[in-house]
Amino acid sequence: MDYGHSERPAGATPLPTAIKILVAGGFGVGKTTMVGAVSETRPLRTEEVLTESGVGIDDLSGVEGKTTTTVAMDFGRITISDDLVLYLFGTPGQDRFWFVWDELALGALGAVVLADTRRLADCFPSIDYFEGRGTPFVVAVNCFEGARQYRLDEVQAALNLDPGVPVLLCDARQRESSKEVLITLMEHAMKTREARRRTALPAPE
Ligand SMILES: Nc1nc2c(ncn2[C@@H]2O[C@H](COP(=O)(O)OP(=O)(O)OP(=O)(O)O)[C@@H](O)[C@H]2O)c(=O)[nH]1
Ligand SMILES: [Mg+2]
């Protein structure tokens, strides 16, 4: 039945709000892993095998064990509450797929920028992109074994982040950890929107 307008009968369960979130960051940082870990449906992936033809183009340092890469996007879904469903879009990590980003970013409420402290600078392009678009984002440091642990304020300073941008640690393979990142992002995005709405309104008399 189509309850497209205001014809929904009293007492009918309201449709959940669907929100689009991007999961971004450098090559091999764990974007596909995170979307897969939190998604309650089988995630859609567009993985291609890394081949000899990528030698000299795809920088595998730090992720030598990696055999595939995302060429278009990852897609997954997570229900946060009865009235809130997040649709997750993982971006491709390599520079040669930048052209996909504008399509993916359309209508996104916010973004997770995943970072690997062994290759921290790889997340600069994502941060620049979201800062440029005014898209609220959080930085989630994916804790790979063997990577040096930095304090969150060190990461914040190294990335030259605005003090309001949340930085947190995560394990992209763990559902609960990834869910916490998404909830932090939602709270940050809501706060940012509220602050922007307030400054856009005329001051009260
Ligand atoms: N040890 C460890 N390995 C991880 C973690 N997250 C991801 N990996 C591994 O790191 C590799 C890269 O993960 P992906 O999820 O494919 O990374 P991606 O960011 O989607 O990569 P691209 O799409 O190619 O940019 C995979 O082999 C994962 O199993 C983590 O938190 N810890
Ligand atoms: Mg991927």
Side-chain angles (χ1 to χ4, degrees):
M1 203 174 294
D2 177 16
Y3 297 140
H5 321 288
S6 53
E7 291 156 23
R8 193 180 309 147
T13 313
L15 294 173
T17 304
I19 285 179
K20 179 178 182 180
I21 299 288
L22 295 188
V23 179
F27 175 52
V29 79
K31 303 175 292 291
T32 299
T33 304
M34 176 174 269
V35 173
V38 289
S39 186
E40 59 209 5
T41 53
R42 201 153 74 91
L44 170 79
R45 291 183 173 152
T46 57
E47 293 287 287
E48 291 293 341
V49 175
L50 284 161
T51 61
E52 285 289 311
S53 51
V55 173
I57 301 170
D58 302 334
D59 177 10
L60 282 172
S61 51
V63 281
E64 288 81 0
K66 196 165 160 50
T67 55
T68 62
T69 189
T70 304
V71 292
M73 63 167 194
D74 305 302
F75 176 71
R77 188 189 74 190
I78 177 170
T79 305
I80 297 288
S81 60
D82 287 349
D83 55 1
L84 183 61
V85 177
L86 305 186
Y87 287 94
L88 305 175
F89 291 77
T91 61
Q94 297 174 84
D95 301 345
R96 58 196 164 103
F97 298 120
W98 264 111
F99 63 92
V100 182
W101 280 58
D102 287 342
E103 287 293 328
L104 285 182
L106 268 184
L109 182 87
V112 174
V113 175
L114 271 175
D116 175 353
T117 53
R118 297 167 301 176
R119 320 189 326 152
L120 203 52
D122 289 5
C123 65
F124 276 128
S126 303
I127 290 173
D128 285 347
Y129 183 82
F130 295 123
E131 280 180 350
R133 286 182 74 101
T135 305
F137 65 94
V138 299
V139 174
V141 178
N142 191 13
C143 300
F144 286 84
E145 297 89 17
R148 209 191 119 189
Q149 299 280 322
Y150 290 87
R151 290 198 319 270
L152 294 178
D153 60 319
E154 289 176 311
V155 175
Q156 187 140 32
L159 293 176
N160 198 17
L161 293 174
D162 188 282
V165 175
V167 183
L168 65 168
L169 301 177
C170 75
D171 183 335
R173 298 164 299 178
Q174 304 289 329
R175 181 180 161 83
E176 280 311 310
S177 173
S178 298
K179 194 171 165 183
E180 195 185 313
V181 172
L182 294 172
I183 290 171
T184 305
L185 171 63
M186 288 302 297
E187 288 167 356
H188 175 59
M190 295 303 178
K191 255 191 241 159
T192 308
R193 280 170 85 92
E194 183 57 23
R196 283 185 191 155
R197 200 179 59 85
R198 279 216 205 109
T199 49
L201 287 175
E205 299 280 302

